Amino acid sequence: MREVRWGAGMAGGVLVLAALGVGGAPGTAQADGAGLVVKSVFDRYALEATPYGEDVGSGNSVTLVNTGRTKVKSYTLTVDYTSLKGIAEVTLPGCGQKSEGVLSCSPVDPPAPGREAFLGGLVARSLRGAKAGATGEIRIGGQADGVAMTETIWTVTVKDVGLVTDRTTGSVQGKVEPGALVRPGIGYTNYGDKAIDGAYFRMQADGASFQQEFGNCTYGTLPVRDMGNQLTDVSYAAALCHVEDTLEPGQYYDLYPGPLKIADDVRNAAWSVSRSSSGEWKELTDVHVGRGPKLGLVPRPADAPKGTPQRLGGVAYTVDNTADIEAVGASVEGRPGETVTAEIGFHNNGPARTATWTGSRPIEDPTVTTTFTVPPGTTAVKVPERCYTRVGGGRASEPGGKEYECVQTTTDWQIENGARLVWSFGLRIDKPSALKPGKVTLEVLSESDSDPKNDTAPVTVTVPGGGTGPTTGGSGGDAGGDGNGGASSGSSGGTASGGTTSGGASQTGGGGAQESSATGGSMAATGAGTLPWVAGAAGLLAVAVGAGVFLVARRRRG
């Protein structure tokens, strides 16, 4: 049997073979089936064995190539990793255990001459207690139409990963109530071959608060910045803890932060933990040392589940809570030719807060899309930033549009219970006789909109002694008029901060009391406590601030 150790310079071989439709060295005769060989897609023939079973980092994509000139009718692969006994286990999709340290399979149809077939990820998973730096080989060969295949060899080296997350505890089936106490936990295995004398952890929570402090933890507030390094309206209450326990090789341990209390105004909550290589966390503010017993890693009982190595550790909770985003319209008055200010937008009636966006970056996949239809008989002469009308084939924030779509700023990540977001438009009264109501229309994700009937509110412009034409705006909620879009002063809406050149301006729409407005599309301050779950890139279980374990409760920047 021939032995080949593939190395540098072979990456383009598969493409060349596929292009020429031939294989083998010039002048070398090959028996039928002998040209079938397994190769690394990315020319990688050295693997690091880690405890993780997925094809990430430790895996290597491999393919089956027919380098010969003859179609292969049948074949069987043999994956021999006997040299890794006690060090690592090996997997290849579609292959089963033939004997100890040997896999066997025929996972795909044999490729035609000069072609290849993808096999998947070749993964080496290190075993608990394997010595860091230990090595071995994976040899893949087999039979093709009764002829021995050329063997391909990978070298495997065990990587020292030390303490590895292997389980979480404290999850809840179904939903939890606002204000409920939950008791999450996390488990670890020391996969190294040496004892670990102490470790630093950061722990964090979203939509929940600490109910217990520990004397070996430092607590503080962690401001969150967007991709442009601007402060957002989110901050975390964070803890950096130093556990002094000695963690023996191959042993299992669990960590419990004590009970966490779910906030009253969230729909989702989560708790997450990760290792830290440092006892310093420069970004923390308002730092204080915890008061209470020491946090420790508890040896896991022998009859407890051993768990499965995983890269992230945390527990998420769904809260039995709702939010209601309501359209905010306006009713303004002025003389012909004057410019009046109409503040339009939306208000969160709660009881839960909600995220402003759900994509992988700020403003991607917004929770609320706000469209403003300009009242006929007026012209939008002052347009706030981040409100756009269609111009040609694109969008622009410029006067004269008939309809505008408004979006939040990249630093507004939350819509708290009681918060509102408004944009101030300057409307010039051009034709009093043609005045008709405009409207504010919202598109809201269903989970943030318990009452879709209040997603439209009228925007009316009147002149002294005159009025508008027939009302065509939407229903504005309980205080929004007659339910057919009629203009209303919004008795529970309060007076708008931007008035008119003569006369008054009032908000229409909506149930609960309006907060003070913030022009230009900024979220009004509400004085609320912790902030809502942020989906996508800011989702807690996906966020790693440094390489540590931290407990965090999101709080409003005050």
Side-chain angles (χ1 to χ4, degrees):
M1 182 181 293
R2 292 184 299 153
E3 179 179 297
V4 176
R5 293 179 181 267
W6 300 94
M10 296 298 296
V14 174
L15 296 178
V16 173
L17 291 169
L20 298 178
V22 297
T28 301
Q30 288 185 309
D32 291 349
L36 211 57
V37 64
V38 176
K39 293 184 178 182
S40 167
V41 172
F42 300 108
D43 199 30
R44 292 177 50 204
Y45 296 91
L47 295 179
E48 281 189 336
T50 71
Y52 309 107
E54 75 275 18
D55 184 19
V56 178
S58 63
N60 179 42
S61 296
V62 296
T63 186
L64 181 64
V65 184
N66 189 341
T67 63
R69 297 182 176 87
T70 305
K71 182 178 180 181
V72 175
K73 297 178 181 179
S74 65
Y75 73 97
T76 300
L77 295 182
T78 300
V79 181
D80 186 337
Y81 61 98
T82 52
S83 67
L84 292 170
K85 182 178 180 180
I87 298 174
E89 293 178 342
V90 174
T91 58
L92 182 66
C95 292
Q97 205 76 38
K98 180 180 179 182
S99 59
E100 185 177 5
V102 179
L103 305 176
S104 179
C105 58
S106 304
V108 296
D109 292 335
R115 301 290 182 177
E116 60 182 16
F118 184 66
L119 295 176
L122 179 64
V123 177
R125 187 175 69 84
S126 61
L127 300 178
R128 184 168 56 101
K131 186 176 178 61
T135 62
E137 293 180 337
I138 302 173
R139 308 170 74 96
I140 302 182
Q143 297 280 326
D145 287 343
V147 178
M149 293 172 52
T150 298
E151 258 189 356
T152 308
I153 300 175
W154 281 258
T155 59
V156 178
T157 304
V158 174
K159 182 179 180 181
D160 185 4
V161 292
L163 205 59
V164 173
T165 301
D166 66 5
R167 72 168 187 161
T168 57
T169 61
S171 61
V172 176
Q173 295 295 324
K175 297 181 179 181
V176 299
E177 295 295 324
L181 292 180
V182 294
R183 300 178 182 274
I186 192 167
Y188 295 95
T189 303
N190 183 358
Y191 265 85
D193 62 335
K194 298 181 178 63
I196 299 174
D197 293 324
Y200 286 99
F201 295 88
R202 293 175 181 175
M203 303 186 291
Q204 63 187 33
D206 172 26
S209 58
F210 298 107
Q211 297 300 293
Q212 180 178 3
E213 287 190 350
F214 295 92
N216 55 337
C217 297
T218 300
Y219 296 84
T221 300
L222 179 68
V224 175
R225 296 178 179 271
D226 65 12
M227 291 181 290
N229 202 35
Q230 298 296 310
L231 283 173
T232 70
D233 57 355
V234 177
S235 62
Y236 298 142
L240 174 64
C241 304
H242 181 235
V243 174
E244 298 176 349
D245 303 301
T246 297
L247 311 176
E248 299 294 341
Q251 297 303 305
Y252 305 98
Y253 300 90
D254 292 323
L255 185 75
Y256 300 101
L260 302 179
K261 185 177 182 180
I262 302 297
D264 292 330
D265 60 347
V266 299
R267 291 186 296 109
N268 297 278
W271 175 78
S272 179
V273 186
S274 59
R275 288 282 306 279
S276 175
S277 59
S278 171
E280 187 177 28
W281 203 350
K282 295 181 179 180
E283 295 82 5
L284 287 185
T285 61
D286 303 323
V287 175
H288 73 275
V289 177
R291 295 172 295 276
K294 286 189 175 182
L295 178 69
L297 283 163
V298 181
R300 190 177 308 167
D303 58 349
K306 303 309 178 189
T308 301
Q310 50 195 274
R311 295 180 185 275
L312 296 176
V315 182
Y317 301 94
T318 301
V319 184
D320 190 10
N321 213 347
T322 60
D324 175 37
I325 304 297
E326 178 179 14
V328 173
S331 179
V332 295
E333 183 180 83
R335 299 184 181 280
E338 290 183 338
T339 297
V340 295
T341 299
E343 292 188 333
I344 61 90
F346 58 82
H347 176 270
N348 182 9
N349 293 326
R353 59 198 181 190
T354 189
T356 59
W357 48 276
T358 60
S360 60
R361 55 187 176 84
I363 312 305
E364 181 179 68
D365 300 331
T367 299
V368 185
T369 300
T370 306
T371 301
F372 171 46
T373 302
V374 177
T378 70
T379 299
V381 294
K382 294 182 179 179
V383 178
E385 294 181 5
R386 309 192 71 81
C387 289
Y388 305 96
T389 189
R390 295 198 175 277
V391 177
R395 301 191 313 165
S397 181
E398 62 181 43
K402 301 297 183 184
E403 186 175 273
Y404 291 86
E405 183 176 306
C406 298
V407 298
Q408 297 91 325
T409 66
T410 58
T411 55
D412 285 337
W413 287 11
Q414 323 294 334
I415 309 169
E416 294 186 19
N417 176 19
R420 73 167 187 171
L421 182 62
V422 294
W423 292 269
S424 296
F425 280 84
L427 304 178
R428 188 181 64 216
I429 303 173
D430 292 331
K431 297 180 181 180
S433 62
L435 287 175
K436 293 182 180 180
K439 62 181 179 180
V440 178
T441 305
L442 306 179
E443 291 184 15
V444 189
L445 293 182
S446 59
E447 60 267 27
S448 299
D449 200 22
S450 61
D451 184 11
K453 294 180 180 179
N454 60 17
D455 289 351
T456 303
V459 179
T460 60
V461 179
T462 59
V463 295
T468 66
T471 297
T472 58
S475 63
D478 294 339
D482 60 7
N484 295 315
S488 168
S489 62
S491 59
S492 65
T495 302
S497 60
T500 65
T501 52
S502 63
S506 62
Q507 299 295 330
T508 66
Q514 304 289 349
E515 303 295 335
S516 59
S517 66
T519 61
S522 295
M523 196 71 70
T526 64
T530 53
L531 289 174
W533 170 265
V534 178
L540 182 63
L541 298 183
V543 173
V545 184
V549 178
F550 64 107
L551 253 162
V552 186
R554 285 186 175 154
R555 300 185 300 181
R556 182 81 183 180
R557 278 194 302 118

